[in-house]
């Protein structure tokens, strides 16, 4: 099998785990190190079950909207959709200064952004592990992750996609048997203003199920962005293609 794009996660890594609650969120998490997101420092965040890391306020909405959001909420979303961890899966998170993980993140950022001197001193990792969708009558689960990292001067977000089997919950118009159709998941980030945002190609279309095969850093299933100021690197201009029932690319 292909090597995992995910950073280590789970109870053995010291992760916290979100409650089993549809449209639930973590408690308010006070960060030991402020995270700079588009020139604003944030000291608090929430890990929301529906695939969102938000700054300062919770996000319980389950049907995604494209960015920029009219209400100006700043957040990062690897996969904003109607997750239901009551039906299956877990949502993990931790704030960390583990030297082994920071060394790996540093190596990755140096590889993807060779012109930016960077040594990670802090990270926050949230992982959605085989999470189900609302209204499911299947055993489908999605596994994806978002990592925030900073050296107090530069900030990056890393979005990792290991296994995406569904795109849409039933309340968003999805089929309860397949988890497809309706208003599919959205991925990217919203800074809170109407200029600095990014919608990963394929968002809110059936093509988002193939996000494990797309990238802006030539690593399938990984998207990485510098977010202390707006810089989008290596971004494709075309949405990913969709496989038909015969596994032929359309």
């Amino acid at each position: 099998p292909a090597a995992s794009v995910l950073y280590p996660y789970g109870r053995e890594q010291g992760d916290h785990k979100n409650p089993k609650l549809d449209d639930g969120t973590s408690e308010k998490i006070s960060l030991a190190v402020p995270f700079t997101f588009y020139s604003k420092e944030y000291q608090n965040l929430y890990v929301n079950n529906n695939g969102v890391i938000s700054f300062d306020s919770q996000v319980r909405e389950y049907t995604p909207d494209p960015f920029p959001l009219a209400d100006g909420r700043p957040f990062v979303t690897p996969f904003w959709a109607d997750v239901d961890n009551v039906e299956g899966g877990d949502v993990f998170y931790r704030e960390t200064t583990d030297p082994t993980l920071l060394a790996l993140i540093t190596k990755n950022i140096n590889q993807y952004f060779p012109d930016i001197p960077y040594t990670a001193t802090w990270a926050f990792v949230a992982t959605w592990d085989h999470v189900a969708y609302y209204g499911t009558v299947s055993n489908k689960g999605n596994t994806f992750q978002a990592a925030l990292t900073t050296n107090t001067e530069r900030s990056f977000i890393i979005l990792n996609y290991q296994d995406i089997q569904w795109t849409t919950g039933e309340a968003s118009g999805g089929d309860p048997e397949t988890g497809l159709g309706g208003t599919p998941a959205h991925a990217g980030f919203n800074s809170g203003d109407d200029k600095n945002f990014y919608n990963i190609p394929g968002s809110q279309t059936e093509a988002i199920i193939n996000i494990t095969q797309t990238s802006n850093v030539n690593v399938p299933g990984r998207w990485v962005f510098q977010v202390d100021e707006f810089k989008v690197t290596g971004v494709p201009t075309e949405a990913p293609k969709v496989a038909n029932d015969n596994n032929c690319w359309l």
Side-chain angles (χ1 to χ4, degrees):
S4 174
V5 295
L6 302 179
Y7 296 121
Y9 69 93
R11 288 295 202 186
E12 65 275 13
Q13 299 296 326
D15 279 2
H16 302 277
K17 190 162 69 170
N18 270 13
K20 296 281 191 178
L21 180 65
D22 183 40
D23 301 329
T25 79
S26 69
E27 61 187 4
K28 182 168 75 170
I29 302 164
S30 297
L31 303 177
V33 174
F35 186 75
T36 301
F37 189 58
Y38 293 98
S39 302
K40 294 183 180 179
E41 284 193 353
Y42 294 95
Q43 197 82 45
N44 303 298
L45 56 73
Y46 295 87
V47 176
N48 305 276
N49 286 357
N50 287 336
V52 174
I53 296 179
S54 55
F55 301 102
D56 290 342
S57 63
Q58 298 170 328
V59 175
R60 297 184 183 274
E61 288 88 346
Y62 51 82
T63 300
D65 292 314
F67 302 146
L69 296 177
D71 62 15
R73 283 178 298 174
F75 63 71
V76 173
T77 176
F79 204 82
W80 184 11
D82 198 357
V83 170
D84 189 353
N85 65 346
V86 177
E87 295 292 337
D90 289 299
V91 182
F92 295 102
Y93 65 88
R94 74 185 181 279
E95 183 179 18
T96 182
T97 55
D98 174 65
T100 302
L101 178 61
L102 293 181
L104 177 56
I105 290 175
T106 297
K107 178 182 177 182
N108 292 156
I109 297 298
N110 291 165
Q111 175 185 350
Y112 309 144
F113 299 85
D115 297 330
I116 302 174
Y118 184 77
T119 301
T121 58
W122 173 92
F124 185 91
V125 181
T127 308
W128 287 258
D129 180 43
H130 200 72
V131 290
Y133 55 92
Y134 180 79
T136 182
V137 294
S138 76
N139 61 359
K140 288 185 173 184
N142 287 348
T143 300
F144 54 91
Q145 185 180 72
L148 315 181
T149 180
T150 186
N151 64 357
T152 72
E153 293 181 358
R154 293 280 177 262
S155 302
F156 294 87
I157 57 174
I158 303 165
L159 306 180
N160 295 322
Y161 302 91
Q162 183 67 24
D163 188 20
I164 301 297
Q165 300 180 358
W166 61 267
T167 64
T168 322
E170 184 181 23
S172 303
D175 185 317
E177 294 185 356
T178 65
L180 305 175
T183 303
H186 193 88
F189 56 84
N190 191 68
S191 74
D193 62 33
D194 59 2
K195 297 180 298 182
N196 300 320
F197 60 90
Y198 186 68
N199 301 304
I200 287 180
S203 289
Q204 294 187 29
T205 77
E206 60 183 353
I208 197 67
I209 201 165
N210 294 317
I211 199 168
T212 56
Q213 302 167 34
T214 67
S215 177
N216 66 332
V217 292
N218 294 316
V219 178
R222 175 170 286 175
W223 288 76
V224 187
F225 305 96
Q226 182 183 349
V227 295
D228 51 281
E229 58 186 41
F230 188 66
K231 291 185 179 180
V232 176
T233 300
V235 171
T237 56
E238 296 182 1
K241 295 181 180 180
V242 182
N244 64 17
D245 292 339
N246 298 316
N247 287 324
C248 295
W249 294 101
L250 302 176

